[in-house]
Amino acid sequence: MHLAKKKEDKLKEDLKSRFLYQDDLDSLYLLLSVIESEYRCNTLRPKYSCTKRVFNAIGKFFNGREDIDEIKSAGVKVLNEDLSRLEFAIYLEAYSLGYENFHAVNYAENFVLSKLSPKDLKGRKKLFHTYKDKETREVKKYIVKGIKSYKEFEKNTEILVRKYFDRVIRDKIYYLNKYLDKQLIFRFDGVNTYIVEERFITLKELEQLFDKLLKTYIRSIKFLSKEAVWFGVNDRVLSRY
């Protein structure tokens, strides 16, 4: 049984790698099939919040430039698929971490049963996934913190994100100018009208942008991972009824 589990984990890791670095959609579909055959998945679709925060960070970084919308649009075009792919892969792993942790699921179930009867749980598609009251937040915090492997997962996640940004994202950011349609524009200083060319993004700005987006993504994915763990725990509780 333990050997079968190790083989399955190895399969998932191989599929994730092919999906991330080879843009292999068949690997994604197979990975989802493997997971959905194991789990009763009601929330196995992220909202790509990390990717959205990256694009907001691009806008803030270039705040004040006349071509801010053009730069942000180019960033979305170039980075959206790669960043969304990474977010989805990490979300799946964090969700599985919660779903498979029996101690966390048992603790959550006891909490749930103090609020709802078993009869109330039948047929529900969601549980306390998005509850924001203080007591539920404390339970969620306790559960995530109590998963022994979570710290290692978080550490490995940051390593993965940094590696992925270096291998996939860096060059696309550094070549961002290639995707900007620069034109001659008219500028009036109150006395005279000048024809000037819109300025490109400097190498220093691109380096700073890369660092900012990396930090934004890491911070966001850590928050998202806790959400995914919590969703996995909630769905596993529901699967018992």
Side-chain angles (χ1 to χ4, degrees), residues 42-70:
N42 296 315
T43 53
L44 205 50
R45 296 293 183 274
K47 297 178 180 178
Y48 299 108
S49 56
C50 302
T51 304
K52 291 174 184 175
R53 286 192 178 95
V54 164
F55 297 143
N56 288 336
I58 293 175
K60 290 179 181 178
F61 185 84
F62 291 107
N63 188 34
R65 283 186 57 140
E66 294 178 352
D67 56 353
I68 183 173
D69 290 336
E70 182 187 356

Side-chain angles (χ1 to χ4, degrees), residues 35-211:
I35 292 175
E36 289 175 347
S37 67
E38 291 182 85
Y39 307 159
R40 174 183 168 183
C41 305
N42 296 315
T43 53
L44 205 50
R45 296 293 183 274
K47 297 178 180 178
Y48 299 108
S49 56
C50 302
T51 304
K52 291 174 184 175
R53 286 192 178 95
V54 164
F55 297 143
N56 288 336
I58 293 175
K60 290 179 181 178
F61 185 84
F62 291 107
N63 188 34
R65 283 186 57 140
E66 294 178 352
D67 56 353
I68 183 173
D69 290 336
E70 182 187 356
I71 294 175
K72 190 172 180 179
S73 177
V76 171
K77 179 180 178 180
V78 175
L79 302 174
N80 185 58
E81 287 189 10
D82 293 319
L83 293 178
S84 296
R85 189 181 301 124
L86 177 61
E87 183 170 345
F88 188 62
I90 294 173
Y91 185 93
L92 285 178
E93 190 169 351
Y95 181 95
S96 300
L97 199 64
Y99 196 98
E100 295 177 356
N101 192 286
F102 286 109
H103 174 73
V105 174
N106 289 338
Y107 186 89
E109 184 176 24
N110 289 333
F111 170 70
V112 169
L113 291 175
S114 72
K115 307 293 181 183
L116 301 168
S117 69
K119 183 180 178 180
D120 291 331
L121 297 178
K122 290 183 179 180
R124 289 178 69 115
K125 293 185 177 180
K126 286 190 178 183
L127 201 49
F128 292 132
H129 295 69
T130 56
Y131 275 56
K132 301 298 182 182
D133 62 278
K134 184 177 180 181
E135 186 180 12
T136 305
R137 289 202 310 269
E138 289 299 317
V139 170
K140 173 184 172 183
K141 183 179 179 181
Y142 175 83
I143 283 176
V144 175
K145 188 176 180 180
I147 296 177
K148 293 181 179 179
S149 58
Y150 187 78
K151 283 189 177 180
E152 182 180 359
F153 162 79
E154 196 170 57
K155 178 182 176 182
N156 291 336
T157 294
E158 182 166 343
I159 292 172
L160 171 64
V161 171
R162 290 184 181 278
K163 177 182 176 182
Y164 189 81
F165 264 66
D166 280 337
R167 288 179 56 179
V168 178
I169 303 299
R170 184 186 295 275
D171 284 349
K172 294 192 175 183
I173 290 178
Y174 279 30
Y175 283 97
L176 198 57
N177 280 313
K178 186 173 69 173
Y179 301 94
L180 301 179
D181 183 22
K182 292 301 178 186
Q183 301 176 359
L184 296 178
I185 59 174
F186 292 93
R187 186 164 292 162
F188 181 64
D189 64 1
V191 179
N192 298 306
T193 299
Y194 300 91
I195 299 178
V196 297
E197 185 177 20
E198 293 180 296
R199 70 183 182 94
F200 285 99
I201 307 170
T202 67
L203 178 58
K204 184 177 181 180
E205 287 174 324
L206 291 171
E207 291 172 345
Q208 292 173 339
L209 177 63
F210 175 82
D211 290 339

